[in-house]
Amino acid sequence: MWQFPVSDQVPQISGNRQACGNSFDKQQRTFIQMRTVLKVVDNSGAKKVMCIQALKGKKGARLGDTIIASVKEAMPNGKVKKGKVVYGVVVRAAMQRGRCDGSEVKFDDNAVVLVDKQGQPIGTRVFGPVPHELRQKKHVKILTLAEHIA
Amino acid sequence: MRLEKCWFCSSTVYPGHGIQFVRNDAKIFCFCRSKCHKNFKMKRNPRKVKWTKAYRRLHGKDMTQDSTFEFERKRNRPERYDRNLAENTLKAIKKIDKIRSDRASDHIKNRLKTGKVQRQKEARKQLELGIHLVKAPLALAQDSSLCLPKIKVNVSQAQTEENQPMED
């Protein structure tokens, strides 16, 4: 008696989705939270900081928010040294932020400008584009230093 | 409020739609919907993707040069508000839009005309050859108005004369 071959294969649950080649989707498009490494885009001396606390926001910081960060990588002679705890303002975030007209903006990377407790930037130059959401957050000084406002 | 153009498909992005991506070299890309955004992330060239305006203009499918496009140039200097100007502009927009779309559809019609003529010719020929599928030959013979007029083709007599020496 001829029997139908029974296929015992369990359907593959594609949980990791690595088959489709996600080389272009590696950027994490989520909040900036503890342990997030951000690029520093001013000339304060630091190169990379790691967020240790996002002020305001249970899930994390977004574009335009301030964070407390620890300097992980710094230039040899700069105003801030490695290991220092600093405040920073997020000027570029990979996660999209809604604008008041309904559209959304997002940037290519996560970048921060170091500020002091009062909100004044430590450095004297800011590199790269910055969003004009900073005006509403009263970070006017950063906007004046910026070379391009998106 | 400003109506942007989608970077990928060149359609208008109305307020409240789409995503704006700012690259680190400060170049801004506006997308009308996630379809265009995802194609951009895949690094596809809009000039090679068939459904975009860039491809259609490049390959001559759509109108490229017209005087109505001058009205839509981006002007960065704001105009002082004038009620009459605003009213006239609104009326003009409607009219210019209609003219532009008429010209665009004419362009497409002209482009497709040659194909249509060709197809009609082929259809006519097919009907002539296969008239027996449509009407019975007996009916055609009885009622001459049903079949297509017969075209006489003159065969040149010189050909038959040339053949005769060959057969000998």
Side-chain angles (χ1 to χ4, degrees), chain A residues 38-42 44-49 71-75 80 114 127:
Chain A
L38 298 111
K39 202 162 79 164
V40 176
V41 288
D42 58 5
S44 56
K47 284 280 158 199
K48 288 224 162 32
V49 293
V71 179
K72 287 293 171 190
E73 198 184 299
M75 296 272 273
V80 290
L114 301 186
F127 305 107

Side-chain angles (χ1 to χ4, degrees), chain A residues 8-9 34 37 41 54 58-59 62 93 104 111 113 118 125 130 139-140 143:
Chain A
D8 287 353
Q9 279 179 2
M34 204 191 298
V37 175
V41 288
K58 197 159 92 169
K59 287 186 235 178
R62 307 168 92 167
E104 294 184 328
V113 165
Q118 277 72 46
R125 286 179 68 190
V130 296
H139 295 121
V140 193
L143 281 174

Side-chain angles (χ1 to χ4, degrees), chain B residues 109-150:
Chain B
K109 222 183 269 180
N110 284 336
R111 184 168 59 86
L112 299 174
K113 213 190 276 185
T114 49
K116 192 171 179 181
V117 167
Q118 181 80 7
R119 276 198 297 275
Q120 275 188 343
K121 235 197 242 177
E122 282 172 17
R124 193 162 253 266
K125 187 146 194 258
Q126 197 178 34
L127 183 65
E128 200 174 326
L129 288 175
I131 194 76
H132 60 280
L133 295 167
V134 177
K135 277 277 175 191
L138 209 61
L140 280 177
Q142 284 173 355
D143 193 0
S144 61
S145 67
L146 284 174
C147 59
L148 294 173
K150 288 209 168 93

Side-chain angles (χ1 to χ4, degrees), chain A residues 92 101 104-107 109 129, chain B residues 16 19-22 24 26 37:
Chain A
R92 291 205 285 274
D101 66 346
E104 294 184 328
V105 228
K106 68 168 159 194
F107 291 83
D109 59 350
Chain B
I19 289 188
Q20 245 185 30
F21 172 62
V22 185
N24 278 356
H37 188 36

Side-chain angles (χ1 to χ4, degrees), chain A residues 51-148:
Chain A
C51 173
I52 49 183
Q53 184 71 34
L55 309 163
K56 275 200 187 237
K58 197 159 92 169
K59 287 186 235 178
R62 307 168 92 167
L63 194 61
D65 294 341
T66 33
I67 58 167
I68 305 178
S70 152
V71 179
K72 287 293 171 190
E73 198 184 299
M75 296 272 273
N77 18 321
K79 284 177 207 153
V80 290
K81 297 270 183 282
K82 185 174 145 177
K84 186 155 182 264
V85 172
V86 286
Y87 282 75
V89 169
V90 180
V91 294
R92 291 205 285 274
M95 177 160 135
Q96 59 260 29
R97 174 112 197 188
R99 290 234 158 119
C100 47
D101 66 346
S103 61
E104 294 184 328
V105 228
K106 68 168 159 194
F107 291 83
D108 211 359
D109 59 350
N110 298 319
V112 79
V113 165
L114 301 186
V115 292
D116 58 13
K117 275 233 183 74
Q118 277 72 46
Q120 304 302 313
I122 299 175
T124 53
R125 286 179 68 190
V126 168
F127 305 107
V130 296
H132 53 71
E133 266 85 353
L134 297 177
R135 192 182 293 273
Q136 210 194 21
K137 307 266 178 185
K138 307 280 190 259
H139 295 121
V140 193
K141 200 86 199 314
I142 302 176
L143 281 174
T144 53
L145 294 170
E147 55 184 40
H148 189 271

Side-chain angles (χ1 to χ4, degrees), chain B residues 67-111:
Chain B
S67 53
T68 46
F69 291 151
E70 300 291 315
F71 293 107
E72 273 180 79
R73 283 282 164 83
K74 185 174 181 179
R75 271 146 239 175
N76 283 320
R77 196 188 283 179
E79 296 273 341
R80 191 175 284 262
Y81 177 75
D82 180 24
R83 196 194 164 124
N84 291 332
L85 180 70
E87 197 181 317
N88 292 340
T89 311
L90 283 171
K91 283 191 201 154
I93 286 172
K94 255 195 185 160
K95 197 159 190 185
I96 291 167
D97 226 25
K98 186 173 180 312
I99 294 173
R100 194 193 63 234
S101 53
D102 284 344
R103 284 190 194 170
S105 58
D106 281 341
H107 180 270
I108 292 172
K109 222 183 269 180
N110 284 336
R111 184 168 59 86

